[in-house]
Every structure is written in structure tokens, then in C-alpha cells.
Amino acid sequence: MSFNPNQGKKFAAALKESKPKLNEQDSDVQDSTEENSNYIKREKRKPYTFSLMPSARIKLTESAKEHGYNSSSNYLNDAILNGKL
């Protein structure tokens, strides 16, 4: 089997032809769906270093598990933002 340099161009042309075209009605439906979605813009997380006593760390981890969190970091973040601390 030999390499055909024009094969990539044919493939790209076939993809462009088979791409469905949106009419105005389809784009309106898509826009309204995006507006009505429950998308919540979240801040990017950044690592911070702070110190805790070992006993406080144990209590934080236990409390996070009791509330169904997989990590104490997520639990602490939610607790601060929800005003529970």
C-alpha cells in the first residue's frame, strides 16, 4: 500500500460536504437551549497552602465524609461559600 498525498484532501472535502447545514430555526432552538441551561460559571481553582493542627485536619476529613464529600478541599470550599463557616 502506497501513500497518496491527495487522499487527505479528498477526506477533508468529503467531511465538508457531509456536514449538516443549520437553518435559522435550528440556530434559534440552539441559542434558546444554551440560554435556558443550568450552566453555572465557576471560578478556576488555585492551590493554597495553610497550616492546621493534626486534630483539626482529622475533624475536617471526618466532617467532609459525613456530608458526602470525596475531598475535604471541596467540603471546605462549599462551607466557606455557603456561609457555614
Side-chain angles (χ1 to χ4, degrees):
M1 183 176 204
S2 65
F3 175 72
N4 183 355
N6 293 326
Q7 188 173 8
K9 293 178 184 176
K10 291 179 183 176
F11 184 70
L15 286 176
K16 286 181 183 177
E17 290 175 7
S18 66
K19 196 175 192 181
K21 295 180 181 179
L22 293 175
N23 59 26
E24 290 181 22
Q25 184 180 12
D26 290 342
S27 64
D28 290 342
V29 171
Q30 186 179 12
D31 291 340
S32 65
T33 304
E34 289 175 6
E35 291 173 4
N36 293 332
S37 69
N38 290 331
Y39 176 75
I40 298 172
K41 186 175 180 181
R42 296 187 181 262
E43 295 178 63
K44 289 186 178 181
R45 298 182 76 162
K46 290 185 176 185
Y48 292 97
T49 304
F50 56 92
S51 300
L52 293 174
M53 291 185 293
S55 58
R57 174 63 184 184
I58 291 169
K59 286 186 178 185
L60 176 62
T61 303
E62 289 173 355
S63 183
K65 287 182 181 180
E66 287 174 7
H67 288 88
Y69 285 84
N70 292 332
S71 74
S72 54
S73 175
N74 288 338
Y75 172 69
L76 186 59
N77 190 62
D78 287 351
I80 291 170
L81 292 177
N82 292 330
K84 295 181 180 177
L85 289 180

Coordinates of all heavy atoms in Angstrom, one line a residue:
M1 N 0.9 -1.2 0.0 CA 0.0 0.0 0.0 C 0.9 1.2 0.0 O 1.8 1.4 0.8 CB -0.9 0.0 1.2 CG -1.8 1.1 1.3 SD -2.9 0.8 2.8 CE -4.3 1.7 2.3
S2 N 0.7 2.1 -0.9 CA 1.5 3.3 -1.0 C 0.8 4.5 -0.5 O -0.5 4.5 -0.3 CB 1.8 3.6 -2.5 OG 0.7 3.8 -3.2
F3 N 1.5 5.5 -0.2 CA 1.0 6.8 0.4 C 0.5 7.7 -0.7 O 1.2 7.9 -1.7 CB 2.1 7.5 1.2 CG 1.6 8.8 1.7 CD1 0.7 8.9 2.7 CD2 2.1 10.0 1.2 CE1 0.3 10.1 3.2 CE2 1.7 11.2 1.7 CZ 0.8 11.3 2.7
N4 N -0.7 8.1 -0.7 CA -1.3 9.0 -1.7 C -1.5 10.4 -1.0 O -2.4 10.6 -0.1 CB -2.6 8.5 -2.2 CG -3.2 9.3 -3.3 OD1 -2.7 10.4 -3.6 ND2 -4.3 8.9 -3.8
P5 N -0.7 11.4 -1.4 CA -0.8 12.7 -0.7 C -2.1 13.4 -0.9 O -2.5 14.3 -0.2 CB 0.4 13.5 -1.3 CG 0.7 12.8 -2.6 CD 0.3 11.4 -2.4
N6 N -2.9 13.1 -2.0 CA -4.2 13.7 -2.2 C -5.3 13.1 -1.4 O -6.4 13.6 -1.4 CB -4.5 13.6 -3.7 CG -3.5 14.5 -4.6 OD1 -3.1 15.5 -4.1 ND2 -3.2 14.0 -5.7
Q7 N -5.0 12.0 -0.8 CA -6.1 11.3 0.0 C -6.6 12.1 1.1 O -7.8 12.2 1.4 CB -5.6 10.0 0.5 CG -6.6 9.1 1.1 CD -6.1 7.7 1.5 OE1 -4.9 7.5 1.4 NE2 -7.0 6.9 1.9
G8 N -5.7 12.9 1.8 CA -6.2 13.7 2.9 C -7.1 14.8 2.4 O -8.0 15.2 3.1
K9 N -6.8 15.4 1.2 CA -7.6 16.5 0.7 C -9.0 15.9 0.3 O -10.0 16.6 0.6 CB -7.0 17.0 -0.6 CG -5.7 17.8 -0.3 CD -5.1 18.3 -1.5 CE -3.7 19.0 -1.2 NZ -3.0 19.4 -2.4
K10 N -9.1 14.7 -0.2 CA -10.4 14.1 -0.6 C -11.2 13.9 0.7 O -12.4 14.1 0.7 CB -10.2 12.8 -1.3 CG -9.6 13.0 -2.7 CD -9.4 11.6 -3.4 CE -8.8 11.8 -4.7 NZ -8.5 10.5 -5.4
F11 N -10.5 13.4 1.8 CA -11.2 13.1 3.0 C -11.8 14.4 3.6 O -12.9 14.5 4.0 CB -10.2 12.5 4.0 CG -10.8 12.1 5.3 CD1 -11.7 11.0 5.4 CD2 -10.5 12.7 6.5 CE1 -12.3 10.7 6.6 CE2 -11.1 12.4 7.7 CZ -12.0 11.3 7.7
A12 N -11.0 15.5 3.6 CA -11.4 16.8 4.1 C -12.6 17.3 3.3 O -13.6 17.8 3.9 CB -10.3 17.8 4.1
A13 N -12.6 17.1 2.0 CA -13.7 17.6 1.1 C -14.9 16.8 1.4 O -16.0 17.4 1.5 CB -13.3 17.5 -0.3
A14 N -14.8 15.5 1.7 CA -16.0 14.7 2.0 C -16.6 15.1 3.3 O -17.8 15.1 3.4 CB -15.6 13.2 2.0
L15 N -15.8 15.4 4.3 CA -16.3 15.9 5.6 C -17.1 17.2 5.4 O -18.1 17.4 6.1 CB -15.2 16.0 6.6 CG -14.6 14.8 7.2 CD1 -13.4 15.1 8.1 CD2 -15.6 14.0 7.9
K16 N -16.5 18.1 4.6 CA -17.2 19.4 4.4 C -18.6 19.2 3.8 O -19.6 19.8 4.1 CB -16.4 20.3 3.6 CG -15.2 20.9 4.4 CD -14.4 21.8 3.5 CE -13.2 22.4 4.2 NZ -12.4 23.2 3.3
E17 N -18.6 18.3 2.8 CA -19.9 18.0 2.1 C -20.9 17.4 3.0 O -22.1 17.7 2.9 CB -19.6 17.2 0.9 CG -18.9 17.9 -0.2 CD -18.5 16.9 -1.4 OE1 -19.0 15.8 -1.4 OE2 -17.8 17.4 -2.3
S18 N -20.5 16.5 3.9 CA -21.5 15.8 4.7 C -21.9 16.5 5.9 O -22.8 16.1 6.7 CB -20.9 14.4 5.1 OG -19.8 14.6 6.0
K19 N -21.3 17.7 6.2 CA -21.6 18.5 7.3 C -23.0 19.1 7.2 O -23.3 19.7 6.2 CB -20.6 19.6 7.5 CG -20.6 20.3 8.8 CD -19.5 21.3 8.8 CE -19.2 21.8 10.1 NZ -18.1 22.8 10.1
P20 N -23.9 18.8 8.1 CA -25.3 19.3 8.0 C -25.3 20.8 8.2 O -24.6 21.4 9.0 CB -26.1 18.6 9.2 CG -25.0 18.3 10.1 CD -23.8 18.1 9.4
K21 N -26.2 21.4 7.4 CA -26.3 22.9 7.4 C -27.5 23.3 8.3 O -28.5 22.7 8.3 CB -26.6 23.5 6.0 CG -25.4 23.2 5.1 CD -25.7 23.8 3.7 CE -24.5 23.6 2.8 NZ -24.7 24.1 1.5
L22 N -27.3 24.2 9.2 CA -28.3 24.7 10.1 C -29.1 25.8 9.4 O -28.6 26.7 8.9 CB -27.7 25.3 11.4 CG -27.0 24.3 12.3 CD1 -26.3 25.0 13.5 CD2 -27.9 23.3 12.8
N23 N -30.4 25.7 9.5 CA -31.2 26.8 9.1 C -31.5 27.7 10.2 O -31.1 27.5 11.4 CB -32.5 26.3 8.4 CG -33.4 25.5 9.4 OD1 -33.3 25.6 10.6 ND2 -34.2 24.6 8.8
E24 N -32.2 28.8 10.0 CA -32.4 29.8 11.1 C -33.2 29.2 12.2 O -32.9 29.6 13.4 CB -33.1 31.0 10.5 CG -32.3 31.8 9.5 CD -33.0 33.0 9.0 OE1 -34.0 33.5 9.7 OE2 -32.7 33.5 8.0
Q25 N -34.1 28.4 12.0 CA -35.0 27.8 13.0 C -34.1 26.9 14.0 O -34.2 27.0 15.2 CB -36.1 27.0 12.4 CG -37.0 26.5 13.5 CD -38.2 25.6 12.8 OE1 -38.1 25.3 11.7 NE2 -39.2 25.4 13.6
D26 N -33.2 26.1 13.4 CA -32.4 25.3 14.2 C -31.4 26.1 15.1 O -31.2 25.8 16.2 CB -31.5 24.3 13.3 CG -32.4 23.2 12.7 OD1 -33.5 23.0 13.1 OD2 -31.9 22.7 11.7
S27 N -30.9 27.2 14.5 CA -30.0 28.0 15.3 C -30.7 28.7 16.5 O -30.2 28.9 17.5 CB -29.3 29.0 14.4 OG -30.2 29.9 13.9
D28 N -32.0 29.1 16.3 CA -32.8 29.7 17.3 C -33.0 28.7 18.5 O -32.9 29.1 19.6 CB -34.1 30.2 16.8 CG -34.0 31.4 15.9 OD1 -32.9 32.1 15.9 OD2 -35.0 31.7 15.1
V29 N -33.3 27.5 18.1 CA -33.5 26.5 19.1 C -32.3 26.3 19.9 O -32.3 26.2 21.1 CB -34.0 25.2 18.5 CG1 -34.0 24.0 19.5 CG2 -35.4 25.4 17.9
Q30 N -31.1 26.2 19.2 CA -29.8 26.0 19.9 C -29.5 27.2 20.8 O -29.1 26.9 21.9 CB -28.7 25.9 18.8 CG -27.4 25.5 19.4 CD -26.3 25.3 18.3 OE1 -26.5 25.7 17.2 NE2 -25.2 24.8 18.7
D31 N -29.8 28.4 20.4 CA -29.5 29.6 21.2 C -30.3 29.6 22.5 O -29.9 29.8 23.6 CB -29.7 30.9 20.5 CG -28.7 31.1 19.4 OD1 -27.6 30.4 19.5 OD2 -28.9 31.9 18.4
S32 N -31.6 29.3 22.3 CA -32.5 29.3 23.5 C -32.2 28.2 24.5 O -32.3 28.3 25.7 CB -34.0 29.2 23.1 OG -34.2 27.9 22.5
T33 N -31.7 27.0 24.0 CA -31.3 25.9 24.8 C -30.1 26.4 25.7 O -30.0 26.1 26.9 CB -31.0 24.7 24.0 OG1 -32.1 24.4 23.2 CG2 -30.6 23.5 24.9
E34 N -29.1 27.0 25.0 CA -28.0 27.5 25.8 C -28.3 28.5 26.8 O -27.8 28.5 27.9 CB -26.9 28.1 24.8 CG -26.3 27.0 23.9 CD -25.4 27.6 22.9 OE1 -25.2 28.9 22.9 OE2 -24.9 26.9 22.0
E35 N -29.3 29.4 26.5 CA -29.7 30.4 27.5 C -30.4 29.8 28.7 O -30.3 30.3 29.8 CB -30.6 31.5 26.8 CG -29.8 32.3 25.8 CD -30.8 33.2 25.0 OE1 -32.0 33.2 25.3 OE2 -30.3 33.9 24.1
N36 N -31.2 28.8 28.4 CA -32.0 28.2 29.5 C -31.3 27.1 30.3 O -31.9 26.6 31.2 CB -33.3 27.7 28.9 CG -34.2 28.8 28.4 OD1 -34.2 29.9 28.9 ND2 -35.0 28.4 27.4
S37 N -30.1 26.8 29.9 CA -29.5 25.7 30.6 C -29.1 26.1 32.0 O -29.0 27.3 32.3 CB -28.2 25.2 29.8 OG -27.2 26.3 29.9
N38 N -28.8 25.1 32.8 CA -28.5 25.4 34.2 C -27.0 25.5 34.4 O -26.4 25.1 35.4 CB -29.0 24.3 35.1 CG -30.5 24.4 35.2 OD1 -31.1 25.4 35.1 ND2 -31.1 23.2 35.4
Y39 N -26.3 26.1 33.4 CA -24.9 26.2 33.4 C -24.5 27.2 34.5 O -25.0 28.3 34.5 CB -24.3 26.6 32.0 CG -22.9 26.9 32.0 CD1 -22.0 25.9 32.0 CD2 -22.4 28.2 32.0 CE1 -20.6 26.1 32.0 CE2 -21.0 28.5 32.0 CZ -20.2 27.4 31.9 OH -18.8 27.6 31.9
I40 N -23.6 26.8 35.3 CA -23.1 27.7 36.4 C -21.6 28.0 36.1 O -20.8 27.1 36.0 CB -23.2 27.1 37.8 CG1 -24.7 26.8 38.1 CG2 -22.6 28.0 38.8 CD1 -24.8 25.9 39.3
K41 N -21.3 29.3 35.9 CA -19.9 29.7 35.7 C -19.2 29.6 37.0 O -19.6 30.2 38.0 CB -19.9 31.1 35.1 CG -18.5 31.5 34.7 CD -18.5 32.8 34.1 CE -17.1 33.2 33.7 NZ -17.0 34.5 33.1
R42 N -18.2 28.8 37.0 CA -17.4 28.5 38.2 C -16.0 29.2 38.0 O -15.4 29.2 37.0 CB -17.2 27.1 38.5 CG -18.5 26.4 38.8 CD -18.3 25.0 39.2 NE -19.5 24.3 39.5 CZ -20.1 24.1 40.7 NH1 -19.5 24.6 41.7 NH2 -21.2 23.5 40.8
E43 N -15.4 29.6 39.2 CA -14.1 30.1 39.2 C -13.1 28.9 39.0 O -13.4 27.8 39.4 CB -13.8 30.8 40.5 CG -14.6 32.0 40.8 CD -14.3 32.6 42.1 OE1 -13.1 33.0 42.3 OE2 -15.2 32.6 43.0
K44 N -12.0 29.2 38.5 CA -10.9 28.2 38.4 C -10.3 28.0 39.8 O -10.2 29.0 40.6 CB -9.8 28.6 37.4 CG -10.3 28.5 36.0 CD -9.1 28.8 35.1 CE -9.6 28.7 33.6 NZ -8.5 29.0 32.7
R45 N -10.0 26.8 40.1 CA -9.4 26.6 41.4 C -7.9 26.8 41.4 O -7.3 26.6 40.4 CB -9.7 25.1 41.8 CG -11.2 24.8 41.9 CD -11.4 23.5 42.4 NE -11.2 23.4 43.8 CZ -11.6 22.5 44.6 NH1 -12.2 21.5 44.1 NH2 -11.3 22.5 45.9
K46 N -7.4 27.3 42.5 CA -6.0 27.6 42.7 C -5.6 26.9 44.0 O -6.3 26.9 45.0 CB -5.7 29.1 42.8 CG -5.9 29.8 41.5 CD -5.4 31.2 41.7 CE -5.5 32.0 40.4 NZ -5.0 33.3 40.5
P47 N -4.4 26.3 44.0 CA -3.9 25.7 45.3 C -3.4 26.8 46.3 O -2.8 27.8 45.9 CB -2.8 24.8 44.8 CG -2.3 25.4 43.6 CD -3.5 26.1 42.9
Y48 N -3.7 26.6 47.5 CA -3.3 27.5 48.6 C -2.7 26.6 49.7 O -3.2 25.5 50.0 CB -4.4 28.3 49.2 CG -4.9 29.3 48.2 CD1 -6.0 29.1 47.4 CD2 -4.2 30.5 48.0 CE1 -6.5 30.0 46.5 CE2 -4.7 31.5 47.1 CZ -5.8 31.2 46.3 OH -6.2 32.1 45.4
T49 N -1.7 27.1 50.4 CA -1.1 26.3 51.4 C -1.4 27.0 52.8 O -1.2 28.2 52.9 CB 0.4 26.2 51.3 OG1 0.7 25.6 50.0 CG2 1.1 25.3 52.3
F50 N -1.9 26.3 53.7 CA -2.1 26.8 55.1 C -1.9 25.7 56.1 O -1.9 24.5 55.7 CB -3.5 27.5 55.2 CG -4.7 26.6 54.9 CD1 -5.3 25.9 55.9 CD2 -5.2 26.5 53.6 CE1 -6.4 25.1 55.6 CE2 -6.2 25.7 53.3 CZ -6.8 25.0 54.3
S51 N -1.8 26.0 57.3 CA -1.4 25.0 58.3 C -2.6 24.8 59.2 O -3.4 25.7 59.6 CB -0.3 25.5 59.2 OG 0.9 25.8 58.4
L52 N -2.8 23.5 59.6 CA -3.8 23.1 60.6 C -3.1 22.2 61.6 O -2.1 21.5 61.3 CB -4.9 22.2 59.9 CG -5.8 22.9 58.9 CD1 -6.7 21.9 58.2 CD2 -6.6 23.9 59.6
M53 N -3.7 22.1 62.8 CA -3.2 21.1 63.7 C -3.7 19.8 63.2 O -4.8 19.7 62.6 CB -3.8 21.4 65.1 CG -3.2 22.7 65.7 SD -3.8 23.0 67.4 CE -5.5 23.3 67.1
P54 N -3.0 18.7 63.5 CA -3.4 17.4 63.0 C -4.8 17.0 63.5 O -5.5 16.4 62.7 CB -2.3 16.5 63.6 CG -1.1 17.3 63.8 CD -1.7 18.7 64.1
S55 N -5.2 17.4 64.7 CA -6.5 17.0 65.1 C -7.6 17.8 64.3 O -8.7 17.2 64.1 CB -6.7 17.3 66.6 OG -6.4 18.7 66.9
A56 N -7.3 19.0 63.9 CA -8.3 19.8 63.1 C -8.4 19.2 61.7 O -9.5 19.1 61.2 CB -7.8 21.2 63.0
R57 N -7.3 18.7 61.2 CA -7.3 18.1 59.9 C -8.2 16.8 59.9 O -8.9 16.5 59.0 CB -5.9 17.7 59.4 CG -5.8 17.0 58.2 CD -6.3 17.7 57.0 NE -6.3 16.9 55.8 CZ -6.6 17.3 54.6 NH1 -7.1 18.5 54.4 NH2 -6.6 16.5 53.6
I58 N -8.0 16.0 61.0 CA -8.8 14.8 61.2 C -10.3 15.1 61.2 O -11.1 14.5 60.6 CB -8.3 14.0 62.4 CG1 -6.9 13.4 62.1 CG2 -9.3 12.9 62.7 CD1 -6.3 12.8 63.4
K59 N -10.6 16.1 62.0 CA -12.1 16.5 62.1 C -12.6 17.0 60.8 O -13.7 16.8 60.5 CB -12.2 17.6 63.2 CG -12.1 17.0 64.6 CD -12.4 18.1 65.6 CE -12.4 17.5 67.0 NZ -12.8 18.4 68.1
L60 N -11.8 17.8 60.1 CA -12.2 18.3 58.8 C -12.5 17.1 57.8 O -13.5 17.1 57.1 CB -11.1 19.2 58.2 CG -11.4 19.7 56.8 CD1 -12.6 20.6 56.7 CD2 -10.2 20.5 56.3
T61 N -11.6 16.1 57.8 CA -11.8 15.0 56.9 C -13.0 14.2 57.3 O -13.8 13.8 56.4 CB -10.5 14.1 56.9 OG1 -9.4 14.9 56.6 CG2 -10.6 12.9 56.0
E62 N -13.2 14.0 58.6 CA -14.4 13.2 59.1 C -15.7 14.0 58.7 O -16.7 13.4 58.3 CB -14.3 13.0 60.6 CG -13.3 12.0 61.0 CD -13.1 12.0 62.5 OE1 -13.7 12.8 63.2 OE2 -12.3 11.1 63.0
S63 N -15.7 15.3 58.9 CA -16.9 16.1 58.6 C -17.2 16.1 57.1 O -18.3 16.0 56.7 CB -16.7 17.5 59.1 OG -17.8 18.3 58.9
A64 N -16.1 16.1 56.3 CA -16.3 16.1 54.8 C -17.0 14.7 54.4 O -17.9 14.7 53.6 CB -15.0 16.3 54.1
K65 N -16.5 13.6 55.0 CA -17.0 12.3 54.7 C -18.5 12.2 55.2 O -19.3 11.6 54.5 CB -16.2 11.2 55.3 CG -14.9 11.0 54.6 CD -14.0 9.9 55.1 CE -12.7 9.8 54.4 NZ -11.9 8.7 54.9
E66 N -18.8 12.7 56.3 CA -20.1 12.7 56.9 C -21.1 13.4 56.0 O -22.3 13.0 55.9 CB -20.2 13.3 58.3 CG -19.6 12.5 59.3 CD -19.5 13.2 60.7 OE1 -20.1 14.3 60.8 OE2 -18.9 12.7 61.6
H67 N -20.7 14.5 55.3 CA -21.5 15.3 54.4 C -21.5 14.8 53.0 O -22.0 15.4 52.1 CB -21.1 16.7 54.5 CG -21.5 17.4 55.8 ND1 -20.7 17.4 56.9 CD2 -22.7 18.0 56.2 CE1 -21.3 18.0 57.9 NE2 -22.5 18.4 57.5
G68 N -20.8 13.7 52.7 CA -20.8 13.1 51.4 C -19.8 13.6 50.4 O -19.9 13.4 49.2
Y69 N -18.8 14.3 50.9 CA -17.7 14.8 50.1 C -16.6 13.8 49.9 O -16.3 13.1 50.9 CB -17.2 16.1 50.6 CG -18.1 17.3 50.4 CD1 -19.2 17.5 51.3 CD2 -18.0 18.2 49.3 CE1 -20.0 18.6 51.2 CE2 -18.8 19.2 49.2 CZ -19.8 19.4 50.1 OH -20.7 20.5 49.9
N70 N -16.0 13.8 48.7 CA -14.9 12.9 48.5 C -13.6 13.5 49.0 O -12.6 12.9 49.2 CB -14.7 12.6 47.0 CG -15.8 11.7 46.5 OD1 -16.4 10.9 47.3 ND2 -16.2 11.8 45.3
S71 N -13.6 14.9 49.0 CA -12.3 15.5 49.5 C -12.7 16.6 50.5 O -13.7 17.3 50.4 CB -11.6 16.2 48.3 OG -12.2 17.3 47.8
S72 N -11.8 16.8 51.4 CA -12.0 17.9 52.4 C -11.9 19.3 51.8 O -12.5 20.2 52.2 CB -11.1 17.7 53.6 OG -9.7 17.7 53.1
S73 N -11.1 19.4 50.7 CA -11.0 20.6 50.0 C -12.3 21.1 49.4 O -12.7 22.3 49.6 CB -10.0 20.5 48.9 OG -9.9 21.7 48.1
N74 N -13.1 20.2 48.8 CA -14.4 20.6 48.2 C -15.3 20.9 49.4 O -16.1 21.9 49.2 CB -15.0 19.4 47.4 CG -14.3 19.2 46.1 OD1 -13.6 20.2 45.6 ND2 -14.4 18.1 45.5
Y75 N -15.3 20.2 50.4 CA -16.2 20.5 51.6 C -15.9 21.8 52.2 O -16.8 22.6 52.4 CB -16.0 19.4 52.6 CG -16.7 19.7 53.9 CD1 -18.1 19.7 54.0 CD2 -16.0 20.0 55.1 CE1 -18.7 19.9 55.2 CE2 -16.6 20.2 56.3 CZ -18.0 20.2 56.3 OH -18.6 20.5 57.5
L76 N -14.6 22.1 52.4 CA -14.2 23.4 53.0 C -14.6 24.6 52.0 O -15.1 25.6 52.5 CB -12.7 23.4 53.2 CG -12.1 24.6 54.0 CD1 -12.8 24.8 55.3 CD2 -10.6 24.4 54.1
N77 N -14.4 24.4 50.7 CA -14.7 25.4 49.8 C -16.2 25.7 49.8 O -16.7 26.9 49.9 CB -14.3 24.9 48.4 CG -14.4 26.0 47.3 OD1 -13.8 27.1 47.4 ND2 -15.3 25.8 46.3
D78 N -17.1 24.7 49.8 CA -18.5 24.8 49.8 C -19.0 25.5 51.2 O -19.9 26.3 51.2 CB -19.2 23.5 49.6 CG -19.2 23.1 48.1 OD1 -18.7 23.9 47.3 OD2 -19.6 22.0 47.8
A79 N -18.4 25.0 52.2 CA -18.7 25.6 53.6 C -18.4 27.1 53.6 O -19.3 27.8 54.2 CB -18.0 24.8 54.6
I80 N -17.3 27.5 53.1 CA -17.0 28.9 53.1 C -17.9 29.7 52.3 O -18.5 30.7 52.7 CB -15.5 29.1 52.7 CG1 -14.6 28.5 53.8 CG2 -15.2 30.6 52.4 CD1 -13.1 28.5 53.3
L81 N -18.2 29.2 51.0 CA -19.0 29.9 50.1 C -20.5 30.0 50.5 O -21.2 30.9 50.2 CB -18.9 29.4 48.7 CG -17.5 29.6 48.0 CD1 -17.5 28.9 46.7 CD2 -17.2 31.0 47.9
N82 N -20.9 29.0 51.2 CA -22.3 28.9 51.7 C -22.5 29.6 53.1 O -23.6 29.6 53.6 CB -22.8 27.5 51.7 CG -23.0 26.9 50.4 OD1 -23.2 27.6 49.4 ND2 -22.8 25.6 50.3
G83 N -21.5 30.2 53.6 CA -21.6 30.9 54.8 C -21.7 30.0 56.1 O -22.2 30.5 57.1
K84 N -21.3 28.8 56.0 CA -21.4 27.9 57.2 C -20.2 28.0 58.0 O -20.1 27.4 59.1 CB -21.6 26.4 56.7 CG -22.9 26.2 56.0 CD -23.1 24.8 55.5 CE -24.4 24.7 54.8 NZ -24.6 23.3 54.3
L85 N -19.2 28.8 57.6 CA -18.0 29.0 58.5 C -17.9 30.4 58.8 O -18.2 31.3 58.1 CB -16.7 28.5 57.8 CG -16.6 27.0 57.6 CD1 -15.2 26.8 56.9 CD2 -16.5 26.3 58.9

